[in-house]
Amino acid sequence: MTDFSGKTALVIGGSRGIGAAIVKRLAADGAAVTFSYAGATDAAQALATETGASAVRSDAADRDAVIALVADAGPIDILVVNAGVLVFGDPLEQDADVIDRMIDVNVRAPYHAAVEAARRMPDNGRIIFIGSTNGDRIPFTGGAAYSLTKSAIQGLTRGLARDFGGRGITVNTVQPGPTDTDMNPGDGPMKDLMHGFMAIKRHGRPDEIAGMVAYLAGPEAGIVTGALHTIDGGFGA
Ligand code: NDP
């Protein structure tokens, strides 16, 4: 447990999966949490009721909506940008609009959210992106576009750490490997392929990812910045 009493947190994309686990962890540790979602209204309302967090419907693919969401949240201590989509497939066959929307959600939203948050963030604030081990390694076909979005987050993390470090604001990325969510079910058709790349042959749990986020958001991590924190069962080893 980390004591986040008196801290405010915004989790972009918090209705399900890893984002929901992050909302639960930060709220349980005492933060006043707001989270956004795009489509899963029932899940978002249930999570808000369970945790006491505030849910706001806002599409991360819409740049102006992202900026307004962050601006309306006021001076937040902890920003977590988790919203992400995964589109796999043959690049010669994929719909260009679908790929561009993935880039909007996975790359444009984190950039604009972080910059807008930093305008009001107090000294020693925390910016945390959820990237992927696929930012480092994509050991199968069909993942080029997804991998590019997660590699882009790596450069963003390093650059913003330089930009905001003078205020003690840290900027980090957590890079999950296969994690049991709707996006990548632990019993899904890709299970055996993915476990074949891993040293520990199981999907991670969302609460394990949330634990690393809580560490990075907490007071022990004040000198941890510009860094990638991989939690992937050895997928990239
Ligand atoms: P899920 O699909 O289970 O959940 C995605 C979450 O993001 C939902 O809360 C969803 O909200 C939200 N979201 C998606 N699109 C938007 C949008 N346009 N606007 C606002 N919110 C949005 O995914 P995971 O929990 O598995 O993934 C979370 C993050 O972790 C992603 O960035 C993903 O790339 C990354 N990741 C996941 C891995 C895995 O194996 N699961 C591995 C490595 C990285 P709603 O349903 O309301 O639209």
Side-chain angles (χ1 to χ4, degrees):
M1 300 288 284
T2 311
D3 184 6
F4 291 120
S5 0
K7 302 288 187 188
T8 56
L10 174 63
V11 179
I12 296 184
S15 54
R16 297 182 290 112
I18 292 169
I22 294 167
V23 169
K24 288 180 190 174
R25 175 64 189 262
L26 296 178
D29 288 359
V33 182
T34 299
F35 70 91
S36 69
Y37 67 100
T41 304
D42 290 348
Q45 288 175 350
L47 182 64
T49 301
E50 176 188 340
T51 61
S54 301
V56 179
R57 188 168 196 171
S58 176
D59 183 359
D62 179 337
R63 184 191 64 193
D64 292 341
V66 169
I67 291 171
L69 169 73
V70 176
D72 290 349
I76 48 178
D77 299 293
I78 302 162
L79 172 71
V80 182
V81 189
N82 167 78
V85 288
L86 167 65
V87 181
F88 271 138
D90 180 348
L92 303 182
E93 304 292 337
Q94 286 177 313
D95 181 329
D97 288 339
V98 172
I99 297 302
D100 281 2
R101 188 172 192 282
M102 177 166 67
I103 293 169
D104 287 348
V105 174
N106 292 11
V107 180
R108 290 210 315 169
Y111 176 83
H112 291 292
V115 170
E116 192 61 26
R119 295 188 200 286
R120 296 168 194 78
M121 185 170 267
D123 287 357
N124 306 310
R126 301 284 192 262
I127 296 172
I128 300 165
F129 303 116
I130 306 301
S132 169
T133 192
N134 293 138
D136 287 324
R137 183 177 190 230
I138 188 76
F140 34 69
T141 60
Y146 180 73
S147 180
L148 95 77
T149 69
K150 297 304 186 178
S151 297
I153 294 300
Q154 299 178 338
L156 176 60
T157 302
R158 298 184 182 107
L160 291 184
R162 301 278 181 192
D163 290 321
F164 304 143
R167 294 158 56 192
I169 294 171
T170 66
V171 184
N172 288 284
T173 288
V174 172
Q175 301 196 134
T179 305
D180 187 12
T181 66
D182 296 339
M183 179 187 282
N184 185 0
D187 59 357
M190 300 280 280
K191 177 189 81 164
D192 290 337
L193 175 68
M194 293 193 182
H195 293 183
F197 296 116
M198 299 169 75
I200 297 175
K201 298 182 185 303
R202 68 165 175 87
H203 275 45
R205 297 190 313 270
D207 65 284
E208 292 175 313
I209 310 303
M212 187 172 278
V213 170
Y215 164 71
L216 292 169
E220 292 175 298
I223 197 71
V224 181
T225 196
L228 313 172
H229 307 272
T230 301
I231 172 167
D232 71 348
F235 184 100

